[in-house]
Amino acid sequence: MTTTFTHNLNPDLTTLPGTNGIPDYDVAIIGCGVSGANIARRLSAYKVKVAVLEKAADVSFGTSKANSGIVHGGFHHNKKYLKARLEIQGNLMFDRLMRELDFPFKRCGIIVAALHEDEMKAVEHLYMQGVENGVIGIELCSRERILELEPKLSPDVVGGLYAPGGGIVEPYRFVFALVESAMKNGVHVFTNYRVEKAERDVPRNKWLITAADGRKINARYVVNAAGLFADEVSRIFGGESFTIKARKGEYYLLDRLTKARPERVVFPVPTSVSKGMLVIPTVEGTVLVGPTADITESKEDFSTTSERLEQILDSGRKMVPSLSRNDVITNFAGLRPVLEEDFYIEPSKVTPAFIQVAGIQSPGLTASPAIGEYVKDLLKNIGLELTEKSDWDPFVERRPRARELSPYELDALIAKDPAWGNMVCRCEQVTEAEIVEAIRQGHTTLDGIKYFTRAQMGRCQGGFCTFKIIKIIMRETGLSYEEITKHGGASRVLEGEL
Amino acid sequence: MRRELTCIVCPIGCSLTVTDKENGELEVTGNRCPRGAAYAVEEITAPKRVVTATCRLGPAGACSESDSKDPIYQRMRRHGLCDPRRLPVKTSAPCPKEYIDELLSEIYRTQVNPPVRRGDIIIKNWKNLGLDVVAVRALD
Amino acid sequence: MKELRYDAVVIGGGAAGMAAALEIDKAGFTCAIVEREDHLGGILMQCIHNGFGLHEFKEELTGPEFAERFAEQVAKSNIKVYLGTTVTDINVQTVQYEKELICASPDHGVLKITCKSVVLAMGCRERNRGNVRIPGSRPAGVYTAGLAQRLVNIEGYIPGKEVVIIGSGDIGLIMARRMSWVGCHVKAVVEIMPYPSGLTRNIVQCLHDFNIPLYLSCQTTNIFGNDRVEGVEVTPMENGALVPEKAFRIDCDTVLLSVGLVPENELSKDAGVELHPTTNGPLVDASLMTNVEGIFACGNVLHVHDLVDWVAEESRFAGKQAAAWLRGERPLHQVRVKAGPNVRYVNPGKLDPSRDNKVYLRSMIVKNDAVLELRLDNRVIKTIKKGHIQPSEMITLSIGPKELEGYTENSALELALL
């Protein structure tokens, strides 16, 4: 049985050491997406008490679960930008992170395809930028070379660029692994903790942070990694006044069996607004096409639209002509937190002991490990003492996944625990044992289990397994049927009982 | 009076026409078989439907007996994800439409403790209407 | 790892699997059924409504009753049943037509079952929101009709209160009644075609009985709600195109999708079985054998049926043919069958001219006095009056030596609906 550190998930506040019954932390990180999770894990290597405050029912439920999952190639942005420097640095950290944290990651390479001669000028510019940024192995490709690298490209392609260091990752599995590692090393993670009020305790140099549900903690330093809501959090703490706009990106997801799966991530030539609509071979074997880029009024509008979806397929087909509507399994949308051209990562100039980590759009996921380093140094600069732990464990448990095991390995597991023989999700081959493990790791919503195990993500999209997962959640957590939700909050799945 | 309706006795679904004759009788046309004629008359005068529903199952809500000694049975019980929590039932004869809601309420309230055989009578001669509620599945 | 050996293995223990296995067992061969649920009967166990078995048993039965009649026969036979067991891999060996099935089960661990003949009877899955690409947000409360049926009929949970059902096929109609009977308010059934696709008797007893409006020629163009469904947008179609100006909203907290079924052929593909691009089921010859020697297919995995009676009939035949194949018997000649005008597909793809063949086809059109025409090598050899035809009602007929008289090696029999 795998050991878990979920006593560090939503720990009972009354049992924690503190002042006047309120637990004391050195650092509170607000938001548990890629940025927050990386910062938490980095800090977990030091003798500091860290709390991560996540407003949703599970970590990675914001922008970090609905994005392209790309580890970028380091050529899209000029190095004068912080985001470019952190992208390059972050990209290089992924191999080691994968070894330590066992999340799916593959350096499949990135291609930018030019579909006519004019576009080659833009490609050359990107190439030179990549060289300046120090990207290893970046090449400018002729038509012949690029078709050799990516045979699924349209024969209309005239040339392009190839960055072998680019790759693909399962972003939510990345965040889950970071959070598990952080918790294993003593970080406390609070979910359903929506920060509502922050009061400065001046004599004691602390922040008193109150959640919407009444929970309170103290923290000497605060990191605002609240994604789409970083502007609101900044306001609550008396920080800088800025506005985050949401820019929606819609995606199509295609079946594993599609003939249109490229080897590399295929980019078009970028526009001034976005990197364009890509064709992405996901690390799980499916294909993502998208994203679009439209400013959205509401920060909670994750709806997809038929106009955009048609656009996506058309755009994708220009580069990979074999993309077919028949292979579409589902679609989804993510919201980018738009602030300004560059990442806004610096200590607040107007409120004490507060680090802003806002406007983390692309290449946020790629840069996130480097953001962890960078913020750790910023905290040190503003006074946080960092003493390394001698017993910091960078590794997390390697968990077997039934679909990756040989029959003999699976047989051995079933002998120890019959739940390994119960194929709950047969589209993705996810066993009851893996679902129970997800629940024990704190993922008690249908979506949380989906992102952790891939159950409900396959061909039938939960048609056969959902009722079983609901029953397993009830059995393992003791929750009643009315408390089972899709993604927390009011997203109940059952309304009544006969 | 002339009414058009669709027969529901079998999947063909003949289009039936029912007319009032001067002598007070009802005439049915459009049916391919005598069951259709009977259905049409009944549908006009006293419409009825066969009702299917489910009753609650057993004390623990599942196929119980957690103290069976068989080790394989024990392992299966732990993973009783497929254990039904309801027993499917049907009426042995069509129920008058105006009573269906009441019948359903009673069925839903009824609890049946396994073992059950297919055909077991769960409610006998409900409201003296000449219909029983019977189990359609065996569960133990 | 346990290693087992049977003459034949049937994958799936629903109506199709049980019927096929019974025939193989009757023929004296060793046979196993591998079924991933903890019970036999497949999807029938959650179809607690009436209407099954009119042809097979000359009675009107509920789904569980139909299934149990077969399950009882299986219990009396020599068929070995593996419940709670999922086939994860099929490997077709080059030696002696052997197939190796790898299966996972909580009780037995991983099983390696070697056999000569495999009968595919895995049934079908439901098309979901992603397949039909309904735009909008992703709240809780969107279910396929089959999942809702499982939750209500077997688990005893009610998924919602105010329901809109997309699709007027029989599954959607049955659920309209079922949700009404458990106290929900079914506000509408929305159908994209200009005619309902379910049986008329179901329109009457599932919609009319409950005054549930049926919107024909309408598409669901948006689902609203962040956490839980709050409503849907329905847009009518005229001349095949959406008319957005006439779109209207229906408030609801639950959406049930009944938008079609797809045969489940992942394992078949693994085994190298070629699929028919229209049915998404395997291509089969007159013996219901796929392109892989000794692998047969029947029931919903071959093509989606509307009556389980035909599933049983087709599957008995598949079982008999699997047994014949095990005895070394193969049809001497086969005549190709084609789908002609207005015919969506015909199964099987070939006929054995030495005997009667049961043929199953689907129409592409709705028509009242339709005629089914058989043409052998472009010569009309038979005309059958069919009366009312519609795509959702499978047409069956028997074609035998009389019809195929004068065939040659390159002959093709075309079926046309006029």
Side-chain angles (χ1 to χ4, degrees), chain C residues 261-304:
Chain C
L261 300 169
V262 179
E264 266 286 73
N265 277 291
E266 297 316 307
L267 281 175
S268 321
K269 284 190 251 196
D270 273 351
V273 169
E274 275 165 27
L275 300 185
H276 190 315
T278 311
T279 61
N280 286 308
L283 285 161
V284 292
D285 68 7
S287 311
L288 296 189
M289 194 167 85
T290 66
N291 61 302
V292 180
E293 274 292 318
I295 298 188
F296 297 79
C298 56
N300 282 339
V301 82
L302 175 56
H303 50 162
V304 176

Side-chain angles (χ1 to χ4, degrees), chain B residues 25-127:
Chain B
E25 275 176 22
L26 290 172
E27 185 190 32
V28 181
T29 50
N31 51 309
R32 280 187 181 76
C33 79
R35 291 189 299 161
Y39 165 77
V41 170
E42 198 178 68
E43 185 69 3
I44 303 281
T45 55
K48 303 189 172 92
R49 298 281 184 266
V50 167
V51 172
T52 58
T54 57
C55 297
R56 195 174 308 142
L57 258 187
C63 309
S64 42
E65 266 109 80
S66 49
D67 33 32
S68 158
K69 299 290 185 291
D70 181 329
I72 289 198
Y73 183 86
Q74 281 289 358
R75 283 156 83 187
M76 285 300 284
R77 281 311 109 215
R78 285 199 301 114
H79 304 288
L81 291 175
C82 292
D83 287 349
R85 295 181 356 124
R86 310 289 301 179
L87 171 73
V89 297
K90 74 174 185 190
T91 54
S92 57
C95 172
K97 266 173 110 170
E98 64 270 23
Y99 285 111
I100 290 181
D101 283 339
E102 199 186 327
L103 173 59
L104 283 170
S105 296
E106 181 153 343
I107 292 175
Y108 294 141
R109 273 199 307 273
T110 307
Q111 178 165 297
V112 178
N113 298 329
V116 193
R117 285 284 97 76
R118 191 171 80 243
D120 279 358
I121 298 177
I122 310 299
I123 303 174
K124 181 115 191 99
N125 196 9
W126 187 67
K127 275 183 130 54

Side-chain angles (χ1 to χ4, degrees), chain A residues 111-355:
Chain A
I111 284 202
V112 179
L115 295 167
H116 48 85
E117 276 310 318
D118 293 346
E119 289 192 333
M120 275 309 285
K121 298 215 170 27
V123 170
E124 276 184 52
H125 169 78
L126 289 176
Y127 169 76
M128 280 161 34
Q129 195 157 258
V131 170
E132 257 205 45
N133 287 347
V135 173
I136 302 165
I138 190 169
E139 8 167 321
L140 212 46
C141 306
S142 66
R143 180 176 180 278
E144 200 185 330
R145 171 75 175 144
I146 207 151
L147 281 169
E148 186 190 21
L149 285 168
E150 184 45 70
K152 301 259 166 71
L153 281 175
S154 162
D156 293 341
V157 73
V158 301
L161 169 159
Y162 174 53
I168 44 180
V169 73
E170 221 173 322
Y172 30 85
R173 291 266 313 270
F174 178 45
V175 174
F176 289 157
L178 289 163
V179 171
E180 188 185 336
S181 177
M183 286 203 298
K184 188 176 184 185
N185 286 293
V187 170
H188 291 176
V189 175
F190 296 91
T191 55
N192 287 311
Y193 197 114
R194 188 166 62 77
V195 172
E196 199 174 61
K197 198 160 75 161
E199 296 156 272
R200 186 70 185 162
D201 181 346
V202 176
R204 293 203 191 85
N205 258 330
K206 290 189 218 188
W207 284 105
L208 171 59
I209 308 171
T210 311
D213 65 1
R215 283 180 285 176
K216 289 182 200 291
I217 65 156
N218 287 321
R220 291 166 51 218
Y221 296 88
V222 174
V223 176
N224 175 11
L228 287 165
F229 299 94
D231 48 358
E232 291 178 32
V233 169
S234 183
R235 238 184 328 272
I236 289 173
F237 282 84
E240 281 80 350
S241 181
F242 53 87
T243 308
I244 303 263
K245 284 196 176 354
R247 192 183 290 131
K248 189 191 290 186
E250 296 183 39
Y251 296 84
Y252 261 134
L253 185 70
L254 276 63
D255 199 338
R256 243 183 224 115
L257 301 158
T258 175
K259 293 193 176 54
R261 184 162 198 268
E263 289 292 308
R264 330 269 176 199
V265 181
V266 179
F267 278 74
V269 165
T271 68
S272 55
V273 173
S274 86
K275 296 189 167 100
M277 284 195 252
L278 329 173
V279 182
I280 306 162
T282 67
V283 72
E284 315 89 63
T286 50
V287 177
L288 263 187
V289 191
T292 52
D294 297 289
I295 287 285
T296 315
E297 281 305 315
S298 157
K299 289 181 188 173
E300 294 184 315
D301 174 14
F302 294 96
S303 60
T304 51
T305 60
S306 42
E307 304 84 40
R308 288 291 173 260
L309 297 184
E310 290 315 311
Q311 261 189 328
I312 292 168
L313 270 189
D314 288 338
S315 178
R317 272 201 214 101
K318 287 202 195 93
M319 297 187 296
V320 179
S322 43
L323 285 171
S324 161
R325 190 174 271 118
N326 294 334
D327 294 326
V328 172
I329 314 179
T330 188
N331 52 64
F332 64 92
L335 294 175
R336 307 168 182 83
V338 179
L339 181 56
E340 54 202 25
E341 186 60 50
D342 201 358
F343 292 163
Y344 173 33
I345 308 180
E346 46 183 86
S348 168
K349 298 189 173 74
V350 303
T351 200
F354 191 81
I355 310 266

